[in-house]
Amino acid sequence: TVYSQSAFDSESRQADWQNDLVLADWNTLTVGADYQEEKGDSTYESDLWVETFSRKSARMTGVYLQDVIKPGPVFQTALGVRHDDHNQAGSETTYRVAPLLTLCGGQTRVKGSVGTGFKAPSLFQLYSIYGSRQLEPETSLGWDAGIEQDLAAGRVTLGVTYFENHWDNLIDYDYFTYSYANIAEALSRGVENFVAYRPADVWEIRAAYTYTETEDETTGESLLRRPRNKAALDLTYSGIPDLRLTGGLQYVGTRKDQDFASWPSTRVDLDDYTLVNLAASYDLTRQWRIFGRVENLLDEDYQEALGYGSPGIGAYGGVQATF
């Protein structure tokens, strides 16, 4: 038996500013900026060796611009561009275009979007014992197209959306080198479906199902820890003034992971699981809202990664201000 333990101590700070400019009834321009800073250090100890990395830091500054244009009742679009500057991973400019067609007096909505993404490696992925200083930032191109249809005088809404995401240099864990590495190319695609039913003005039932296929385009294998099947069922009540209550079920299907109990390691299936969640919000005034939620109400024992426990029942709350 080999003794080992590791610790990663980190902190992060984030600040953002956003301003909406109503240029006309049909044109709203949003401008914003944000700043993120991460600091951390790590220690790994075992009977064989000790490895540490001293305090490191990473900073990223971003600026963005989005223009929502509604020239008429049928067509509208959102055009966005963002520039990020990371002190280690460099800079990247990304974009997003999201048009929407509203037909049949608003009962039918045809929507889509296309956009790019940028993600820098974290300090843990770069400098920990499992990290690699050769990591490149990952970039992505994604698109989706879908339709929503209202039925029964608006009491029922059906929706279906097809999506695809393509990554270059996707950051993932390499189970042969025991460190993070870039996957040259990866793909995720699937279909999202939902149905919303409002039996009364104060009640809404919403069911959703997502089917996803993934592939490491270098090896042809599916990506780890990505469930093929996910589903959710939510019930919302808003019959008390200013109060909104939601109870929900969240289902996550089986997915592949890597088992190191044997050598060489083999792929295994992680068990599916279902969580029960509750949420509530109350509007104190038009500007102030308090909210809270309870996650994993039944204290379900499940794993998102093989050998690593997940949080049990947890409660969260906060205050939101809008000016």
Side-chain angles (χ1 to χ4, degrees):
T1 302
V2 177
Y3 160 80
S4 68
Q5 70 172 13
S6 62
F8 180 70
D9 182 21
S10 68
E11 62 181 86
S12 63
R13 297 184 178 91
Q14 180 173 337
D16 59 78
W17 166 82
Q18 177 179 307
N19 192 27
D20 295 332
L21 304 173
V22 181
L23 304 180
D25 292 341
W26 50 270
N27 191 358
T28 300
L29 182 67
T30 299
V31 295
D34 53 47
Y35 173 81
Q36 302 175 48
E37 182 180 18
E38 180 186 13
K39 295 181 179 180
D41 57 69
S42 178
T43 302
Y44 176 84
E45 300 179 3
S46 75
D47 295 335
L48 304 177
W49 77 88
V50 176
E51 181 168 329
T52 64
F53 80 78
S54 57
R55 201 73 166 171
K56 303 288 185 181
S57 64
R59 297 177 300 278
M60 185 166 72
T61 303
V63 293
Y64 57 90
L65 181 73
Q66 176 178 276
D67 197 10
V68 177
I69 304 171
K70 301 178 182 179
V74 174
F75 176 77
Q76 73 177 63
T77 188
L79 309 172
V81 62
R82 178 184 176 93
H83 181 79
D84 288 302
D85 186 15
H86 193 278
N87 69 322
Q88 297 186 33
S91 60
E92 184 80 12
T93 299
T94 54
Y95 68 87
R96 182 174 183 268
V97 180
L100 170 66
L101 285 174
T102 303
L103 308 172
C104 302
Q107 297 182 65
T108 304
R109 296 170 294 280
V110 181
K111 60 181 182 177
S113 71
V114 60
T116 56
F118 169 77
K119 180 182 178 182
S122 68
L123 292 179
F124 187 83
Q125 293 168 337
L126 285 170
Y127 297 111
S128 72
I129 187 175
Y130 310 107
S132 170
R133 290 164 175 78
Q134 274 64 56
L135 279 179
E136 298 288 336
E138 65 180 52
T139 57
S140 62
L141 170 65
W143 67 273
D144 62 74
I147 185 170
E148 295 181 4
Q149 179 65 51
D150 293 337
L151 302 170
R155 292 289 185 185
V156 177
T157 301
L158 305 176
V160 59
T161 300
Y162 176 84
F163 63 88
E164 279 194 16
N165 294 291
H166 298 261
W167 289 277
D168 288 323
N169 293 324
L170 176 69
I171 299 172
D172 206 348
Y173 192 76
D174 188 328
Y175 290 89
F176 295 98
T177 63
Y178 296 99
S179 65
Y180 286 95
N182 291 111
I183 297 175
E185 292 184 344
L187 167 67
S188 170
R189 62 188 174 195
V191 180
E192 296 179 340
N193 308 274
F194 80 88
V195 55
Y197 173 51
R198 289 164 289 276
D201 292 341
V202 299
W203 290 99
E204 180 180 48
I205 304 170
R206 183 182 179 93
Y209 168 73
T210 302
Y211 175 83
T212 306
E213 292 182 345
T214 64
E215 182 183 0
D216 179 337
E217 296 185 287
T218 302
T219 65
E221 294 186 308
S222 61
L223 299 177
L224 297 178
R225 302 171 185 167
R226 270 77 166 185
R228 180 163 292 192
N229 299 288
K230 293 178 67 176
L233 178 64
D234 294 314
L235 175 63
T236 299
Y237 176 71
S238 56
I240 301 174
D242 302 320
L243 180 65
R244 184 179 178 89
L245 303 172
T246 300
L249 299 175
Q250 178 188 357
Y251 170 79
V252 177
T254 59
R255 54 252 180 255
K256 294 294 183 180
D257 208 341
Q258 205 80 14
D259 184 5
F260 293 97
S262 60
W263 180 260
S265 61
T266 57
R267 284 196 164 206
V268 297
D269 287 327
L270 288 177
D271 291 338
D272 58 352
Y273 62 88
T274 301
L275 303 180
V276 178
N277 305 310
L278 299 176
S281 65
Y282 183 76
D283 295 332
L284 298 172
T285 67
R286 294 181 60 183
Q287 291 79 30
W288 291 93
R289 170 181 296 175
I290 57 175
F291 59 88
R293 69 182 190 276
V294 177
E295 296 183 352
N296 194 6
L297 178 66
L298 302 183
D299 203 21
E300 177 76 9
D301 185 16
Y302 66 100
Q303 294 183 85
E304 293 183 342
L306 186 65
Y308 291 85
S310 297
I313 183 173
Y316 309 86
V319 180
Q320 178 181 335
T322 304
F323 299 101

